[in-house]
């Protein structure tokens, strides 16, 4: 029969293309759609590339490390700044020794502590990027319904170094129910309770919760335009479902809308009352 004859078993050109496509699919199958899209965006839109060093409270640092590894912080639409983002868990007490461009503490109360000078060094870029509960760490198994936290004996820590205790005295002031140490119910955040690794206490829930950490994103004063844009890209990427999933996996919730951190003057007045009461 006249015509072109192909050797049996030899793939046509179209067949080789299909096979090649399947091979690529097999390679990329384990990659999430979010990661792939972020990688494509990076290749297509990078005009400026910078390094961005993020120092964060340990619980949110764990979220961001996973998020950045999955492509979080890629340039958003209209931005051509791409960043090599490094996330490090840094305790608030050590931030003065950090060369970070971005700082995410548990709460802006850390930044606004009187006499710390941190408010001059760090600007608020995003008031809240996540949240966690703050309040009474009740014994495991006890009901947290119908509590009146303001009338309960509580055990506080030094409010200058323990933001959950600082939140408490700002909300409820200082009286005979507030004692540093002592036998009252401990005031803690949910991540603090989790970090204890014990089943004896439960994180603040129900009426035992009185406040929230808001995890603001702070940028160093005088940060360059490209680095600031890279930080903005990180904030913008928080809108992905993947970010919310990671927050939930680490026991955190999404950012708090319309948060208004306490001013330095409010904190100073609360600490003054604390000093007067504890020194009586």
């Amino acid at each position: 029969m006249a015509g072109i004859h192909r050797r049996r078993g030899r793939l046509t050109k179209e067949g080789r293309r299909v096979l090649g496509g399947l091979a690529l699919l097999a390679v990329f199958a384990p990659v999430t759609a979010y990661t792939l899209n972020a990688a494509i965006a990076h290749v297509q839109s990078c005009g400026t590339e910078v390094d961005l060093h993020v120092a964060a409270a340990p619980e949110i640092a764990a979220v961001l490390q996973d998020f950045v590894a999955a492509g979080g912080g890629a340039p958003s639409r209209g931005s051509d700044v791409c960043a090599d983002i490094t996330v490090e868990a840094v305790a608030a007490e050590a931030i003065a020794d950090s060369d970070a461009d971005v700082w995410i503490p548990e709460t802006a109360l850390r930044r606004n502590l009187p006499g710390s000078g941190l408010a001059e060094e760090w600007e608020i870029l995003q008031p809240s990027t996540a949240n966690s509960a703050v309040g009474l760490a009740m014994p495991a198994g006890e009901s947290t319904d119908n509590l009146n936290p303001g009338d309960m004996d509580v055990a506080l820590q030094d409010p200058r170094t323990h933001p959950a205790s600082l939140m408490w005295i700002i909300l409820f002031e200082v009286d005979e129910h507030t004692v540093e140490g002592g036998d009252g119910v401990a005031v803690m955040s949910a991540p603090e309770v989790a970090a204890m690794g014990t089943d004896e206490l439960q994180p603040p829930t129900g009426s035992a919760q009185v406040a929230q950490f808001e995890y603001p994103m702070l940028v160093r004063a005088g940060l360059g335009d490209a680095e600031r844009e890279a930080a903005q890209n990180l904030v913008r990427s928080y809108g992905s479902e993947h970010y919310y999933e990671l927050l939930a996996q680490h026991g955190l919730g999404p950012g708090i809308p319309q948060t208004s951190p306490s001013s330095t003057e409010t904190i100073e007045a609360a600490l003054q009352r604390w000093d007067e009461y504890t020194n009586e």
Side-chain angles (χ1 to χ4, degrees):
M1 183 177 179
I4 297 173
H5 297 274
R6 297 187 182 95
R7 192 185 313 173
R8 295 190 63 181
R10 187 180 181 88
L11 288 173
T12 64
K13 185 177 180 180
E14 291 76 11
R16 290 196 296 272
R17 285 178 178 170
V18 172
L19 185 59
L22 290 173
L24 285 174
L25 182 60
V27 170
F28 284 110
V31 181
T32 66
Y34 181 83
T35 306
L36 185 55
N37 289 338
I40 292 171
H42 181 89
V43 171
Q44 290 179 341
S45 59
C46 285
T48 302
E49 299 196 25
V50 297
D51 293 325
L52 192 72
H53 180 192
V54 179
E59 59 268 28
I60 191 69
V63 173
L64 291 179
Q65 286 163 352
D66 290 346
F67 185 58
V68 169
S76 58
R77 185 181 300 275
S79 175
D80 67 349
V81 174
C82 299
D84 183 3
I85 302 174
T86 302
V87 181
E88 180 184 11
V90 176
E93 293 78 8
I95 195 62
D97 300 323
S98 172
D99 61 354
D101 305 301
V102 174
W103 178 31
I104 307 178
E106 309 97 316
T107 170
L109 293 178
R110 294 279 200 183
R111 169 188 179 269
N112 295 344
L113 273 175
S116 68
L118 293 173
E120 291 74 35
E121 295 178 22
W122 296 95
E123 302 171 2
I124 298 178
L125 184 70
Q126 179 73 11
S128 180
T129 64
N131 85 82
S132 63
V134 174
L136 299 171
M138 298 291 290
E142 286 198 19
S143 174
T144 59
D145 296 333
N146 302 317
L147 297 177
N148 189 349
D151 290 338
M152 297 179 65
D153 291 337
V154 297
L156 302 180
Q157 300 180 44
D158 181 354
R160 288 180 170 83
T161 59
H162 188 243
S165 294
L166 180 55
M167 280 188 171
W168 186 276
I169 65 173
I170 289 172
L171 289 171
F172 297 104
E173 300 191 340
V174 182
D175 57 23
E176 67 276 9
H177 296 295
T178 52
V179 180
E180 186 172 1
D183 298 326
V185 180
V187 171
M188 301 174 71
S189 69
E192 280 185 282
V193 176
M196 292 177 63
T198 176
D199 295 331
E200 295 179 4
L201 298 177
Q202 55 182 312
T205 57
S207 55
Q209 178 182 345
V210 300
Q212 293 166 295
F213 283 158
E214 73 278 12
Y215 300 96
M217 178 179 282
L218 312 177
V219 294
R220 194 174 289 279
L223 189 66
D225 291 342
E227 288 80 7
R228 186 180 292 268
E229 176 64 13
Q232 287 278 19
N233 281 332
L234 182 56
V235 169
R236 293 172 187 133
S237 66
Y238 288 166
S240 73
E241 286 298 322
H242 186 56
Y243 180 65
Y244 296 135
E245 290 168 2
L246 287 172
L247 287 175
Q249 290 172 17
H250 289 272
L252 302 176
I256 307 168
Q258 299 179 341
T259 180
S260 54
S262 297
S263 66
T264 297
E265 292 73 21
T266 298
I267 298 171
E268 189 170 25
L271 291 174
Q272 183 177 350
R273 290 192 297 270
W274 170 265
D275 291 340
E276 291 171 353
Y277 194 86
T278 54
N279 290 330
E280 287 181 355

